[in-house]
Amino acid sequence: MKKLLALAGATASLALTLTACGSGSDSASDATKITFGYIGDFNGTSLLAIADKQGLWKKEGLDVDTKVFTDGPTQIQALGAGDLDYGYIGPGAIWLPASGKAKIIAVDTLGGADRVIAQPGITSMADLKGKKIGVPAGTSGDMILGLALKKAGMTEKDVDIVPMDAATIVAAFDTGKIDAAGIYYPTIDTIKQKVPNLVELAQDSDFEQDFGFPTAFVSGEKPNAATTAMVDTVLREAMDYRAAHTTEAIADTASMLKQTVAAVTADASHDKLLTSAQLDTMTQNGTVDTWLSSLENYFVGAGKLTSAVDPKTFYLGDDFVAAGK
């Protein structure tokens, strides 16, 4: 009888052990799988690098597959095709969510990395009349060029704009096939290695009072509310970690991008970091909407939007704030 009781106890113990193991496996398999796009710079990568290093995805029940892109518009296309769940864009691509092709789920930083650069000897925007200018179409490089031309009393008809991707601009500028470019850091650092005495004719700070230049995280047109709430929670935690531990955030980003800490430090110096509390305030008091509306009006004038819409139709700011409560 005692042997039977002992056997029953052992069997029950084994059953409990197997149940516990099974529960753990189910928990891991229950993680929500998402694909997340990013651009390989400090703005586009840092929060994802922090989330991975600090275990924030796992903490929130997310299993994330990250994919690197060279620009925002390509990610918007991937979102529309169902190849991505979330992504990252610079201010030059804000016209895409404003046109209904995506939703902004969170603002990231205030960008300051965009420039109009020119070959040595060119000293003003006026000097670019009739010159060949490379630009990645639909990006913040495109945007800064448009703003600089307008400020100089010029239009795109006064110059020869050649659409090309960032890598092509590097080679074309180096070989003198283009006279100028609307482009951004850290790509400009790469160009400077070949043409160290290039000239910067315009930059974001020339226009920041009106536009703010928010970078942003985006989803498709109809994001899953529950999943987006989890993503927002991770982004908020990562933002606050980045603001409080910037040195560590730069190191984590350098590791993810396989770049030097010095290179990422230089890249990070161009942008303003924000905390989740600051973004909550700026969302609730209308500051973010003002930035987005200003960008929309610019894009209408640039022919990328037919008309401006209420930013609340594409910026899910209330949901971002709610994720912090």
Side-chain angles (χ1 to χ4, degrees):
M1 185 66 174
K2 288 181 180 180
K3 288 183 179 181
L4 288 174
L5 289 173
L7 180 59
T11 303
S13 177
L14 178 60
L16 286 172
T17 301
L18 291 173
T19 301
C21 291
S23 176
S25 298
D26 289 343
S27 177
S29 64
D30 285 345
T32 301
K33 298 181 182 297
I34 60 172
T35 53
F36 211 126
Y38 67 100
I39 293 174
D41 58 17
F42 183 72
N43 279 336
T45 307
S46 55
L47 295 192
L48 305 189
I50 291 166
D52 184 58
K53 185 69 178 291
Q54 298 298 316
L56 302 182
W57 297 126
K58 184 177 181 180
K59 175 183 173 184
E60 199 58 31
L62 294 169
D63 180 2
V64 181
D65 178 23
T66 56
K67 300 179 182 296
V68 67
F69 290 77
T70 58
D71 58 61
T74 306
Q75 291 180 72
I76 300 292
Q77 292 177 358
L79 288 168
D83 297 328
L84 277 184
D85 297 304
Y86 300 93
Y88 164 87
I89 62 173
I94 294 293
W95 63 279
L96 287 161
S99 65
K101 292 181 170 57
K103 300 290 187 186
I104 294 175
I105 65 166
V107 170
D108 182 17
T109 63
L110 299 185
D114 309 306
R115 302 285 189 276
V116 176
I117 61 171
Q119 297 285 358
I122 296 174
T123 60
S124 69
M125 291 298 297
D127 289 345
L128 294 181
K129 286 187 177 179
K131 302 291 187 181
K132 190 173 292 186
I133 305 175
V135 63
T139 69
S140 55
D142 191 349
M143 174 193 67
I144 193 65
L145 175 61
L147 289 170
L149 287 171
K150 183 177 181 180
K151 185 177 180 180
M154 301 164 65
T155 71
E156 292 185 357
K157 294 180 180 179
D158 294 313
V159 296
D160 181 11
I161 294 179
V162 184
M164 53 180 68
D165 61 36
T168 305
I169 286 176
V170 173
F173 198 97
D174 174 35
T175 57
K177 291 181 179 179
I178 56 175
D179 303 290
I183 196 65
Y184 28 75
Y185 284 96
T187 301
I188 295 172
D189 282 325
T190 302
I191 297 173
K192 281 184 174 180
Q193 293 174 12
K194 305 285 188 179
V195 189
N197 54 340
L198 63 79
V199 181
E200 295 188 3
L201 300 178
Q203 57 188 331
D204 289 333
S205 60
D206 297 336
F207 310 95
E208 65 183 358
Q209 184 173 351
D210 295 323
F211 297 97
F213 301 116
T215 65
F217 292 99
V218 291
S219 69
E221 297 176 57
K222 297 179 180 179
N224 179 282
T227 303
T228 300
M230 291 190 285
V231 170
D232 277 340
T233 297
V234 171
L235 294 177
R236 291 176 65 92
E237 288 192 47
M239 283 174 190
D240 294 339
Y241 179 91
R242 181 177 62 187
H245 306 279
T246 307
T247 300
E248 292 88 342
I250 287 172
D252 292 343
T253 304
S255 177
M256 183 168 173
L257 293 176
K258 295 180 173 55
Q259 295 180 1
T260 66
V261 169
V264 177
T265 299
D267 181 21
S269 70
H270 298 294
D271 304 292
K272 181 178 179 179
L273 305 183
L274 300 169
T275 65
S276 62
Q278 288 174 314
L279 277 170
D280 287 348
T281 298
M282 290 187 287
T283 294
Q284 293 172 318
N285 68 16
T287 299
V288 176
D289 283 358
T290 298
W291 292 332
L292 296 175
S293 291
S294 295
L295 286 168
E296 283 189 89
N297 290 332
Y298 162 73
F299 290 129
V300 169
K304 287 183 169 57
L305 287 175
T306 56
S307 62
V309 299
D310 186 342
K312 289 181 174 56
T313 62
F314 63 90
Y315 171 47
L316 307 181
D318 291 343
D319 294 340
F320 176 81
V321 173
K325 296 179 178 178

